[in-house]
Every structure is written in structure tokens, then in C-alpha cells.
Amino acid sequence: YGLTDWTFEIDDKGRPHYVVTNYKKRVGFKGSDATGAVILAVQSGDIKEYSIADAPVWVDRIQPANMVNSQLDYWGKYGDGWLNSWLGAEGVLQSTEGISLVYGNDGKSYFYTGMQSVGADEGTIGFVLVNTRTKEARLYEQAGATETAARQSGEDEFQDFGYQATYPILYNIGGVPTYFMTLKASSGLVKGA
């Protein structure tokens, strides 16, 4: 077993805690998988260990972003078998650059990342939302732009001003997945969204 990904969270009574992911290797040297959490109460110093199912309801994040991202890449690469990943590479997918934290209308937190074909341009085949607590994942097959392409598009819109776009965050606007990002001037001031 190992410990990783210290996350600061507040319980329902307003008390601060560190939630640390407890994991073990399930496949070779790289196949880490979260098994639960160790929770450290900051004020009292109490430490308790929980499985994923038994963790308190207020705990949002047990799954580390880096483990989720690498497991998505393995799923995309080997989804149609190991041999296909080397010979035909048909239907082989990879996650787009970056992963962000979003909240659903159910009040739960999710990791968001786009999925694209290996060797593809700046387009995606869809995006994935992964529950940050249980690792339940859902692929939404909807073609679109990668986060990097959306960011570049936002910067190109105001290229005369030299604004830099922040990393895009996904929102559901009228049932349409939409990237939102702010544009900052070189001084760091927000100039637009």
C-alpha cells in the first residue's frame, strides 16, 4: 500500500481535514489503483482509514487525477486489445492534455478530460467525466475541439491585445457542453471571458 494526493477538505461541521489517497499496485509497477482514504483531522490530529465505500459522505476526492488520467489512457490504448494497439491501432484513443475538476448538478465532483484519436489533430471524439470519489466513468461521444484548441481560439479572437486564456472549464449551457475561460492581459488583470 502507498499514500498519495493530499487534498484539503472541510467536513459538514466546518472542520478542516486532509484526505490522503490509499492505493496499491494492481498491475505491474505502474498499475496503481485507489483503495480508500486516510483522513487526518487538522485540529485534533486524529487519523482514520476508510475504504472508498465507507468514507464519510463529505469526502469529494479519493481518486488522484494522475491515476485517473493514466487509466483513461490505458483504456483508450488497449480497449480493443493489446495486439490492436501495436498493429492496426484502430480506434486507439488518448486523453487530451490536462484534466480539470468540475461539479455536476448532482453536487458531486468529477474529473473532466477530452478523448481524441491517437495522432489526430485538434479535435476530440468526446469527453469523459470520472467521479472523483468512486472512479465511475462515463464517455460522452460528442465531437469537438480539444482544450488546447479552444484556448488558442480564444486567444486568437483578441490577438491584437495579446491576451492569454486560462485553461478552459466545461459548462453545460442549455444542454450544450461549452468551454469557459477568462482572458488576461500581461498585467494579470482579467479582460474578458
Side-chain angles (χ1 to χ4, degrees):
Y1 289 94
L3 298 173
T4 189
D5 197 41
W6 289 62
T7 305
F8 185 77
E9 293 197 40
I10 306 290
D11 70 13
D12 294 335
K13 295 181 181 176
R15 293 181 298 222
H17 299 269
Y18 279 109
V19 178
V20 186
T21 300
N22 190 354
Y23 72 96
K24 72 178 191 176
K25 302 285 185 185
R26 294 199 191 264
V27 180
F29 295 109
K30 292 185 177 183
S32 299
D33 202 24
T35 58
V38 175
I39 300 176
L40 166 65
V42 174
Q43 292 173 316
S44 66
D46 291 340
I47 299 173
K48 294 183 181 173
E49 185 175 348
Y50 297 93
S51 68
I52 293 172
D54 295 332
V57 175
W58 55 265
V59 173
D60 285 336
R61 281 186 55 191
I62 294 176
Q63 304 296 327
N66 62 339
M67 282 185 199
V68 168
N69 206 37
S70 66
Q71 289 175 6
L72 283 172
D73 284 340
Y74 289 139
W75 168 79
K77 185 174 183 177
Y78 301 117
D80 289 332
W82 179 83
L83 195 57
N84 178 63
S85 71
W86 289 96
L87 296 179
E90 192 171 317
V92 175
L93 303 174
Q94 66 185 8
S95 59
T96 57
E97 183 178 335
I99 192 166
S100 59
L101 185 69
V102 297
Y103 284 85
N105 60 3
D106 58 1
K108 296 178 182 176
S109 61
Y110 297 89
F111 286 123
Y112 159 84
T113 189
M115 295 298 288
Q116 68 184 116
S117 296
V118 171
D121 54 7
E122 295 296 316
T124 62
I125 60 101
F127 60 93
V128 177
L129 292 179
V130 180
N131 186 302
T132 59
R133 183 181 167 100
T134 64
K135 200 174 67 174
E136 178 183 347
R138 182 166 178 192
L139 173 65
Y140 294 87
E141 294 186 38
Q142 181 166 352
T146 65
E147 297 88 339
T148 304
R151 186 177 191 178
Q152 185 64 49
S153 178
E155 290 173 353
D156 287 349
E157 194 69 29
F158 298 95
Q159 63 184 339
D160 294 343
F161 300 106
Y163 295 159
Q164 297 292 312
T166 58
Y167 189 80
I169 300 172
L170 184 73
Y171 282 95
N172 180 352
I173 299 178
V176 178
T178 306
Y179 288 128
F180 177 84
M181 62 197 108
T182 56
L183 296 168
K184 294 183 176 184
S186 59
S187 63
L189 295 173
V190 174
K191 295 296 185 175

